[in-house]
Amino acid sequence: MAEIALGMWTSHGPTLSTSAEQWLLRVSADKKNRHPFRGEVHDFETLVELRKGEGLAEAVTLAERERRHAACQAAIAEMADRFVAAKVDVAVIMGNDQRELFLEDITPAITVYLGETIWDQPATAEQAARMPPGIHEAEWGHSPPERREYPCLPDLGTHVCEALVPQGFDLAVSKRLPEPAGHWSSGAPHSLGFIYRQIMRDEVVPNLPILLNTFFPPNQPTARRCFELGRAVGEAIRSWDKDVRVAVFGSGGMSHFVIDEDFDRMFFEALRNRDAETLCRIEDRHLQSGTSELKTWIAAAGVLFDTDLEGEVVGYEPCYRSEAGTGTANGFVAWQ
Ligand SMILES: [Fe+2]
């Protein structure tokens, strides 16, 4: 039977693949957009006012941004080294799609990928020109320099579906990536590509992607549903009739595009204490925009809380880029 031998929760976003100077490319978008923060939605100027007592001017100096950037790179290297050391055969990746695959014609809540392989490639010049500021610069971090096909696990995916559908999970499945003409993005979403490129360092083991619609209302699965999904997926993995060592990933988060260190600390505490109820009770108003990607962490927790794996926080760096508190808090946790 398959054995779950490694659990990893990791951030995956553009701040990990751009320089501390390039982080500022996103500030123009920050100033235009409205941002969820602590259950409400604010514009940039209001956030600056709300957060003026937090000393964020200090956090956004170039020297401090560079320190935090370097600490993130060290954490990624540590995660990648631990991945190699765990000697796993296959992986299950809880990821999310940020309109890199599914567009407005159909947005499945939970998708199990059943293809034999999954492909990825860099954006064309035309696609790159359509990306928001600061996104194309980060592409090397999740897309290979040329088209590649990575091995997947349709057997395990089918087994997961056969185990979960009778339990009431109405799963979408996909045997190949949607590729409509004129799509702004191509290939695997960055939640998967970051794991392939930076944690597996391009030595991609056969993997099962499970994609959650964390971002887009109105059919985002709740935190509780994500945890229950993970728990059922964990049971399915352990009943899979293959003698393999499995890594389980949650790919996304932490708080962004407005950083909330208190929220992230609460989340780490819940992981450390295997506190399922705290994770399940996080309301959707606290899990919107980029922070919503922590639902992939909750799904991975659903798998990993039922194992005897243990571990710790490998790194945590709130990577601020403005005095409004915009940026991405990058977190890394490993259980062996
Ligand atoms: Fe993301």
Side-chain angles (χ1 to χ4, degrees):
M1 289 294 169
E3 176 200 355
I4 299 169
L6 177 69
M8 291 191 146
W9 292 269
T10 179
S11 297
H12 66 208
T15 53
L16 298 174
S17 309
T18 48
S19 69
E21 287 185 356
Q22 288 174 317
W23 290 359
L24 302 188
L25 290 170
R26 294 288 307 150
V27 175
S28 62
D30 291 343
K31 287 183 173 170
K32 277 190 216 126
N33 296 338
R34 290 172 59 79
H35 306 273
F37 176 62
R38 298 195 171 148
E40 291 176 25
V41 179
H42 303 286
D43 63 20
F44 188 88
E45 293 309 323
T46 307
L47 285 167
V48 171
E49 185 62 23
L50 273 174
R51 310 200 67 173
K52 67 183 175 199
E54 294 183 43
L56 295 179
E58 180 67 22
V60 298
T61 60
L62 179 60
E64 190 56 30
R65 279 183 279 126
E66 284 179 335
R67 189 193 67 71
R68 294 175 196 216
H69 180 270
C72 287
Q73 299 308 309
I76 294 170
E78 172 70 22
M79 294 284 276
D81 288 346
R82 289 190 193 208
F83 177 77
V84 172
K87 292 186 166 43
V88 300
D89 304 295
V90 301
V92 174
I93 306 173
M94 302 293 187
N96 68 294
D97 174 48
Q98 203 172 336
R99 293 260 182 264
E100 297 149 285
L101 299 179
F102 303 114
L103 300 175
E104 290 185 339
D105 50 356
I106 186 148
T107 306
I110 303 169
T111 305
V112 178
Y113 186 70
L114 298 183
E116 294 281 344
T117 60
I118 192 166
W119 61 275
D120 204 0
Q121 67 184 27
T124 64
E126 191 271 328
Q127 287 172 321
R130 292 167 62 192
M131 290 181 184
I135 298 302
H136 182 53
E137 288 78 358
E139 192 184 30
W140 70 269
H142 59 85
S143 291
E146 71 288 309
R147 184 178 172 111
R148 282 184 198 157
E149 300 263 348
Y150 302 118
C152 288
L153 289 172
D155 288 5
L156 177 58
T158 302
H159 175 70
V160 163
C161 291
E162 288 171 352
L164 268 64
V165 170
Q167 298 178 53
F169 291 94
D170 300 315
L171 304 170
V173 296
S174 170
K175 288 196 174 179
R176 59 180 174 273
L177 300 184
E179 203 173 354
H183 202 307
W184 69 278
S185 182
S186 54
H190 71 284
S191 65
L192 304 178
F194 176 84
I195 305 293
Y196 300 154
R197 293 277 286 155
Q198 300 206 45
I199 305 297
M200 298 183 182
R201 291 178 174 143
D202 289 330
E203 302 286 329
V204 177
V205 299
N207 64 97
L208 170 64
I210 299 178
L211 296 171
L212 310 176
N213 170 33
T214 71
F215 260 84
F216 304 103
N219 69 331
Q220 299 142 294
T222 62
R224 186 175 299 279
R225 188 61 165 167
C226 293
F227 188 87
E228 287 167 352
L229 173 82
R231 194 155 51 189
V233 168
E235 279 171 23
I237 294 169
R238 286 189 294 273
S239 69
W240 189 35
D241 184 19
K242 287 269 169 24
D243 193 14
V244 290
R245 289 166 61 79
V246 185
V248 173
F249 288 94
S251 175
M254 297 185 80
S255 59
H256 66 296
F257 304 97
V258 179
I259 295 171
D260 183 346
E261 295 182 46
D262 290 343
F263 182 86
D264 294 333
R265 257 191 296 275
M266 173 280 292
F267 206 101
F268 280 136
E269 268 302 288
L271 289 186
R272 192 170 67 84
N273 297 323
R274 295 175 191 261
D275 180 355
E277 202 47 33
T278 291
L279 295 179
C280 289
R281 281 194 184 145
I282 303 174
E283 294 171 55
D284 260 21
R285 66 195 177 97
H286 294 291
L287 289 167
Q288 295 299 327
S289 187
T291 308
S292 74
E293 296 179 336
L294 284 170
K295 285 180 172 172
T296 69
W297 286 38
I298 294 172
V303 179
L304 294 163
F305 284 6
D306 284 342
T307 67
D308 55 12
L309 300 179
E310 285 182 6
E312 66 277 311
V313 175
V314 170
Y316 177 72
E317 293 296 331
C319 295
Y320 292 100
R321 60 181 172 240
S322 80
E323 290 182 51
T326 60
T328 298
N330 292 306
F332 310 88
V333 183
W335 285 11
Q336 286 93 340

